[in-house]
Amino acid sequence: MYVARILYPVEVLGPGKRVGIWFCGCPRRCKGCSNPELWHFQPRYRTTPQEIYALILRIANENEIDGFTITGGDPLYQPEALAELISLLRGISEDILVYTGYRREELSDEALRGIAVLIDGEYIEERNTDCLLRGSDNQRILILEEKWKDRYERYLSSARNQIQNFMTGDGVISVGIHRPGFLGDLNEYIKRTNYGKGLDTSERKEKKD
Ligand code: SF4
């Protein structure tokens, strides 16, 4: 499997302090995708569900984990690896929110097993209207496990989209629902302020094909 990054605490993609997991690999190439650097499988991101779980256990040993948000890339582009990882993560928290470019109807029940909340559908830049948790308004928030309904309804009625920036070894990672054109603005800001020195923006440009 290919996983590009794990961040904690992510507080802008679901309720509470969550572990964010970014899968690598997506065949869709949506215009305006905020993570084009994650479209391709990259050898340096090759790993196993057990390795990812071991890393997350280290976070869990010292921190409260309220849930997981798994995005990418498209996690459901690697369904077997995702299923294996989810079965491990559920031992820590069963609040597992997954983003995918597929529509729910295209996915088997087997592929969705263990997912509490699914946000489905491709990203359509022209329909980016600042919807909570969703990149564009064609996407749906589907609560697949009834027991999470109250929690998510409360969250959805009170939260608003926010951005969280993490400084990592790869530079600044900007997390959240971004408005169209944010990447250009972020790169401008980084150039102007030298914030995030070391961010490889050329990689993003090369892969916008
Ligand atoms: S499905 Fe998501 S990760 Fe894939 S290209 Fe579209 S926006 Fe990007």
Side-chain angles (χ1 to χ4, degrees):
M1 75 185 292
Y2 294 84
V3 170
R5 64 181 79 116
I6 297 171
L7 294 174
Y8 175 88
V10 172
E11 298 178 84
V12 296
L13 292 176
K17 292 188 176 180
R18 312 176 70 83
V19 175
I21 303 170
W22 278 259
F23 273 53
C24 203
C26 179
R28 207 162 294 269
R29 314 288 191 263
C30 303
K31 179 171 78 111
C33 169
S34 59
N35 292 322
E37 77 280 14
L38 302 185
W39 287 350
H40 304 271
F41 288 141
Q42 297 173 50
R44 69 183 172 132
Y45 293 140
R46 191 167 181 159
T47 183
T48 63
Q50 290 72 23
E51 282 179 346
I52 298 297
Y53 179 62
L55 277 173
I56 290 170
L57 265 187
R58 282 166 50 190
I59 300 172
N61 284 340
E62 295 181 7
N63 302 276
E64 197 66 39
I65 293 179
D66 295 315
F68 296 97
T69 294
I70 307 179
T71 182
D74 193 335
L76 278 150
Y77 192 43
Q78 301 177 69
E80 293 86 11
L82 177 65
E84 200 175 336
L85 180 61
I86 284 176
S87 73
L88 295 169
L89 296 181
R90 283 176 69 90
I92 299 172
S93 169
E94 295 184 354
D95 177 351
I96 297 177
L97 184 160
V98 174
Y99 281 87
T100 182
Y102 297 97
R103 296 280 288 178
R104 161 72 184 90
E105 294 75 11
E106 297 176 90
L107 298 164
S108 67
D109 289 345
E110 185 63 30
L112 296 172
R113 181 161 305 161
I115 297 176
V117 177
L118 184 77
I119 301 187
D120 79 340
E122 64 183 345
Y123 172 64
I124 300 175
E125 191 171 39
E126 293 73 20
R127 294 182 64 172
N128 181 335
T129 52
D130 196 28
C131 306
L132 184 58
L133 285 184
R134 294 173 294 154
S136 53
D137 63 14
N138 59 299
Q139 297 171 327
R140 299 174 295 184
I141 300 171
L142 303 170
I143 298 170
L144 303 184
E145 289 186 338
E146 188 64 22
K147 68 179 173 182
W148 299 108
K149 199 161 176 271
D150 288 350
R151 183 182 206 189
Y152 274 83
E153 281 182 354
R154 269 198 311 277
Y155 176 77
L156 293 170
S157 66
S158 61
R160 63 187 171 85
N161 280 333
Q162 288 180 289
I163 300 297
Q164 235 182 319
N165 291 320
F166 288 81
M167 182 65 93
T168 75
D170 278 344
V172 179
I173 305 291
S174 188
V175 176
I177 304 299
H178 297 89
R179 59 187 166 71
F182 93 95
L183 198 53
D185 294 348
L186 178 64
N187 285 334
E188 271 307 308
Y189 176 73
I190 287 167
K191 263 193 246 152
R192 213 173 52 240
T193 61
N194 216 20
Y195 182 62
K197 199 174 168 192
L199 176 65
D200 185 359
T201 53
S202 61
E203 184 183 52
R204 287 174 177 261
K205 281 180 191 147
E206 275 167 23
K207 288 180 176 163
K208 262 191 161 176
D209 51 17

